[in-house]
Amino acid sequence: MNTAQRLQQLRKEKGMSQEELAERLGVSRQAVSKWESGQSSPDVEKIVAASELFGVTTDWLLKGVRPAEEPAPARRKLAGRILFAASPALVAAGLFLAHTGRQELRPFAACAGFAAQAVGLALYFIGQTLAGEKGPFWAAWLDLAGVVPLPLYSLTARAAIVLLDTEMPWETFKALRGAAFWLVYLALLAAGFFLLRKRK
């Protein structure tokens, strides 16, 4: 395997298109295409940038010489992926827990729900450390979708009490409060979607 083949393999392993790689390295897509087809070779600066981007050494990229010890062994990557999967599940469990139970147990359930979500988020970042790479988009997206409702519902409820006429019928008040919650929630999810995709 030569440098061109190794570069193409690394790009595909990361799930990147030639356009995305070109943008990250500050070159044209045609330049990347020529590198991968062996028609030309990247200069030293681009080799260093590519090695940093893909988390490999320049020796491996140029000559296929691997370091004595891989920076992120397969077992650590597997553990990281397990934590990525567990993170949204725990966040969702915390959300469910906070909204269940009898009325008198709600304060305890809400605290337990917040604690479960905090642990779920911690698992996501621990997974990143173990895997040696950014967490997958779907895990970050599900975490965002699960973590936002609890604090947001409390904030919109308090804002509704302050801003809306408390003399209005309860059903109207409840409908307006719910509409405000969903409007802000969906706006936050949309903003989070684009920010997370851009990060990737």
Side-chain angles (χ1 to χ4, degrees), residues 3-198:
T3 300
Q5 292 169 326
R6 282 189 288 273
L7 189 61
Q8 185 179 59
Q9 176 189 331
L10 289 168
R11 176 179 64 77
K12 289 182 177 179
E13 285 177 356
K14 287 285 186 181
M16 298 172 66
S17 65
Q18 288 186 340
E19 289 85 355
E20 289 172 325
L21 178 57
E23 184 180 345
R24 298 287 290 274
L25 295 180
V27 298
S28 66
R29 188 201 65 78
Q30 290 78 10
V32 173
S33 178
K34 286 182 179 179
W35 294 346
E36 293 186 356
S37 62
Q39 296 176 42
S40 66
S41 299
D43 59 30
V44 174
E45 181 185 345
K46 300 307 178 189
I47 286 288
V48 172
S51 69
E52 292 174 350
L53 175 63
F54 294 124
V56 298
T57 63
T58 53
D59 274 350
W60 186 83
L61 199 53
L62 290 169
K63 299 181 288 186
V65 177
R66 291 188 178 275
E69 187 176 338
E70 291 293 329
R75 281 179 297 184
R76 292 186 65 186
K77 283 197 172 187
L78 177 60
R81 288 170 185 157
I82 291 171
L83 292 182
F84 288 145
S87 173
L90 201 52
V91 166
L95 181 63
F96 177 77
L97 180 62
H99 286 284
T100 57
R102 293 178 297 180
Q103 188 66 34
E104 60 271 19
L105 295 178
R106 282 289 169 82
F108 172 77
C111 290
F114 274 120
Q117 291 195 330
V119 173
L121 288 178
L123 292 183
Y124 178 85
F125 292 106
I126 293 170
Q128 282 192 157
T129 302
L130 287 175
E133 59 189 27
K134 290 180 179 178
F137 170 78
W138 60 265
W141 175 243
L142 289 175
D143 280 346
L144 175 68
V147 165
V148 167
L150 286 180
L152 181 61
Y153 184 80
S154 178
L155 287 173
T156 51
R158 292 177 186 277
I161 292 170
V162 173
L163 299 174
L164 296 178
D165 182 6
T166 53
E167 299 299 322
M168 71 174 59
W170 169 247
E171 291 302 322
T172 305
F173 177 84
K174 195 163 101 171
L176 288 174
R177 184 184 66 184
F181 167 79
W182 284 108
L183 184 66
V184 177
Y185 179 55
L186 293 175
L188 287 173
L189 286 187
F193 178 86
F194 289 111
L195 288 173
L196 289 169
R197 290 299 290 179
K198 186 175 181 181

